[in-house]
Amino acid sequence: MEKIAVIGSGYVGLVTGACFAEIGHQVICVDNNKDKVAALKQGNVPIYEPGLSQLVLKNVKRKRLIFSDSIKEGVENSKAIFIAVGTPPKAKGEADLSAIEDVAEEIAKYMNSYRLIIQKSTVPIATGDWVESTVRMFKKKHAKFDIASNPEFLREGSAIDDFMHPDRIIIGVEAKKARELLSRIYKPIKARIVFTDVKSAELIKHASNSFLAMKISFINSLSRICDASGADIDKVAQGLGMDKRIGKDFLKASLGYGGFCFPKDLAAFINICERLGYNPELLKATAKVNEQQKEFFFRKIKKALWNISGKRIAVLGLSFKPNTDDIRLSPAIDIIRMLKKAGAKIATFDPRAMEKAKRELSGVDYCDNAYDAITGADCLVLATDWPQFSRLDLKRVKRLLKRPIIVDGRNMFDPVNMKRLGFQYSSIGRNA
Ligand code: UDX
């Protein structure tokens, strides 16, 4: 059992803290938002992530997981301190690292003996150097410390499983003592650990996210060629992905990727490359293709409907992907904004993301279920691939729609079957 503090109880911090407690460690999760900490102490988890509430409650009961609004308490009672505070984007995509600097300074002030400070949030290369020099500047003379980078690769919606069964664990660390402590912390997790220097670990995180985003933009580019030529993107992706060197994952054509990681991290990575004197054309194209894909999808809706102004459009799905209530940089929200701008009336439903969407998006009819949203609509737009949408009673959908038009941004239905059912159905890169 190791004593661990996780600073920042956002998405990454909470999942990390709860999972470390679950595998047997003593964990303090710290956050400067007193209301959030008070809620967590009562067992109220402020985000929706499958299994997280149960995991938090279970480990709070076992007394392995506690919450605090004091960094001092976290630092005094733990040997390993994980930094998992937010790194939101600034105007030019650059990551705002001021929260990391503040936390590093605070940690330094309260260190009375050896501490290992581990960076978990996604950060630009060389952030470890800055954390190290900040801690050195503010710490007491006798307090020794090491720095490590241990990026997370959690996906929203399956974060706990990703933590417990990762493809690999990346640890950027130079000191032997620190390496041994991190090895002990991760011992219960059966996964290969890749040890690197701190900078390489920082780069691996940016590289992984950019590569995955590039894979999606690549398949989305191909979907445009399929659309124009009559080829079928699902078949192309299948044939492409069977080559082990390419791999079948992340080859699902869509209306574009979203979420708080891919768009933000890609922009931050582009910014770092430019600051390092390198012009990252490939990364820029990845981001550009994604923006174009949303416009392409909007044009598809326009083509299906002829005139958008005054039409009632049912949009199913608001979150950036299924099994999350997260709407940050969700393509569904972008599409709704485009449709509204073009004069459409929007009726929408999402199984989890309605509350968050209501705070961001006004002038939209939020419905109690999918069928209510569809009733009387001139067109149904599928924006997020929630599994329950693929189980819709299509005959009922047809009866409820004013016009039998479906534009599917996630390729959820078989085009031949949809035609047979009498729909005017269009999807991404499929022409049947
Ligand atoms: C991502 C990374 O996967 C994770 O490792 C990292 O830690 C954080 O960023 P996440 O943002 O939760 O995780 O979502 P992910 O499942 O990767 O999907 C991102 C976006 O890509 C979603 O909008 C999704 O719908 C879209 N996507 C994904 C596609 O359009 N096609 C695909 O084939 C896969």
Side-chain angles (χ1 to χ4, degrees):
M1 186 272 290
E2 298 297 333
K3 290 183 163 185
I4 296 173
V6 181
I7 316 290
S9 299
Y11 194 83
V12 173
L14 260 185
V15 173
T16 304
C19 289
F20 276 148
E22 177 68 14
I23 61 172
H25 301 301
Q26 188 64 49
V27 181
I28 305 185
C29 277
V30 179
D31 202 283
N32 61 4
N33 181 333
K34 288 189 172 25
D35 292 342
K36 191 193 261 184
V37 171
L40 284 165
K41 281 183 173 169
Q42 302 292 317
N44 296 324
V45 175
I47 48 169
Y48 172 71
E49 174 64 33
L52 183 59
S53 284
Q54 294 90 315
L55 208 64
V56 167
L57 283 173
K58 183 174 155 195
N59 286 286
V60 166
K61 248 189 210 152
R62 280 170 163 170
K63 300 203 178 349
R64 280 200 208 149
L65 179 62
I66 59 170
F67 296 97
S68 169
D69 56 22
S70 153
I71 290 191
K72 182 171 184 279
E73 191 184 346
V75 174
E76 284 177 351
N77 292 293
S78 317
K79 198 175 207 181
I81 302 162
F82 285 83
I83 302 180
V85 294
T87 53
K90 292 202 274 192
K92 285 185 181 148
E94 188 188 349
D96 182 351
L97 302 176
S98 47
I100 293 194
E101 184 178 0
D102 293 347
V103 165
E105 187 181 326
E106 287 272 293
I107 293 171
K109 279 198 262 179
Y110 300 121
M111 285 179 359
N112 288 317
S113 54
Y114 176 81
R115 293 292 181 272
L116 172 59
I117 301 165
I118 309 123
Q119 185 55 54
K120 254 254 169 253
S121 327
T122 304
V123 291
I125 306 173
T127 303
D129 288 352
W130 281 106
V131 170
E132 178 161 8
S133 62
T134 307
V135 173
R136 204 169 290 291
M137 205 177 286
F138 289 96
K139 77 177 185 70
K140 295 181 194 86
K141 216 171 177 187
H142 64 274
K144 300 247 177 320
F145 73 101
D146 282 311
I147 294 288
S149 163
N150 170 218
E152 56 81 22
F153 299 97
L154 311 175
R155 286 166 302 173
E156 294 187 22
S158 54
I160 293 168
D161 195 52
D162 286 348
F163 188 97
M164 297 295 184
H165 309 283
D167 290 341
R168 79 302 199 196
I169 295 166
I170 304 293
I171 297 180
V173 68
E174 264 117 85
K176 185 164 173 265
K177 184 177 181 176
R179 179 181 166 140
E180 285 169 0
L181 175 53
L182 277 160
S183 299
R184 285 200 301 278
I185 289 175
Y186 278 110
K187 192 151 186 254
I189 306 265
K190 300 280 163 270
R192 282 184 60 187
I193 299 185
V194 179
F195 288 102
T196 68
D197 56 283
V198 174
K199 287 194 179 80
S200 300
E202 290 167 341
L203 182 56
I204 288 169
K205 170 68 201 220
H206 268 316
S208 302
N209 271 0
S210 315
F211 193 88
L212 292 169
M214 183 182 73
K215 249 185 132 176
I216 302 171
S217 279
F218 185 82
I219 203 73
N220 282 341
S221 295
L222 287 181
S223 81
R224 302 288 298 275
I225 302 168
C226 288
D227 233 67
S229 66
D232 184 310
I233 193 64
D234 286 352
K235 294 274 179 306
V236 173
Q238 189 189 6
L240 194 63
M242 282 167 86
D243 185 327
K244 284 202 196 78
R245 294 168 302 175
I246 296 172
K248 63 178 174 19
D249 294 334
F250 276 72
L251 285 182
K252 195 159 184 306
S254 66
L255 71 166
Y257 61 73
F260 205 49
C261 285
F262 284 175
K264 169 180 85 80
D265 290 356
L266 200 64
F269 196 20
I270 290 169
N271 184 279
I272 302 158
C273 291
E274 284 177 339
R275 276 192 284 139
L276 290 170
Y278 171 65
N279 179 18
E281 298 279 16
L282 196 55
L283 303 182
K284 287 181 180 173
T286 298
K288 194 170 170 189
V289 166
N290 198 50
E291 288 313 304
Q292 288 169 345
Q293 192 72 0
K294 288 182 261 186
E295 288 154 20
F296 161 69
F297 186 64
F298 172 75
R299 286 198 302 277
K300 240 180 204 302
I301 302 172
K302 198 166 186 305
K303 196 170 158 201
L305 269 173
W306 186 21
N307 294 303
I308 288 186
S309 184
K311 297 263 167 71
R312 181 179 166 91
I313 300 180
V315 179
L316 292 187
L318 293 162
S319 55
F320 78 99
K321 65 173 196 179
N323 295 319
T324 175
D325 62 352
D326 198 343
I327 56 160
R328 289 176 297 176
L329 305 174
S330 169
I333 303 285
D334 285 340
I335 290 297
I336 292 179
R337 289 214 165 98
M338 287 182 207
L339 292 169
K340 278 184 72 191
K341 201 169 164 210
K345 286 181 243 135
I346 306 294
T348 185
F349 171 74
D350 186 286
R352 287 278 173 184
M354 305 260 274
E355 286 313 310
K356 287 196 173 153
K358 278 177 193 168
R359 287 179 231 149
E360 294 267 310
L361 203 64
S362 57
V364 169
D365 189 1
Y366 291 96
C367 301
D368 290 341
N369 58 62
Y371 297 110
D372 280 1
I374 292 165
T375 304
D378 292 287
C379 167
L380 163 59
V381 170
L382 288 156
T384 313
D385 42 351
W386 281 94
Q388 48 268 64
F389 295 157
S390 62
R391 295 192 295 267
L392 282 170
D393 174 350
L394 293 171
K395 289 195 177 130
R396 186 170 168 203
V397 169
K398 180 138 181 285
R399 276 199 309 277
L400 294 176
L401 281 170
K402 189 169 159 197
R403 294 162 212 248
I405 301 175
I406 298 184
V407 188
D408 181 356
R410 298 288 182 171
N411 289 0
M412 295 179 82
F413 295 105
D414 171 18
V416 177
N417 190 38
M418 295 305 270
K419 210 175 246 178
R420 194 177 53 77
L421 288 169
F423 286 106
Q424 183 190 313
Y425 175 78
S426 49
S427 51
I428 309 281
R430 302 185 303 174
N431 294 275

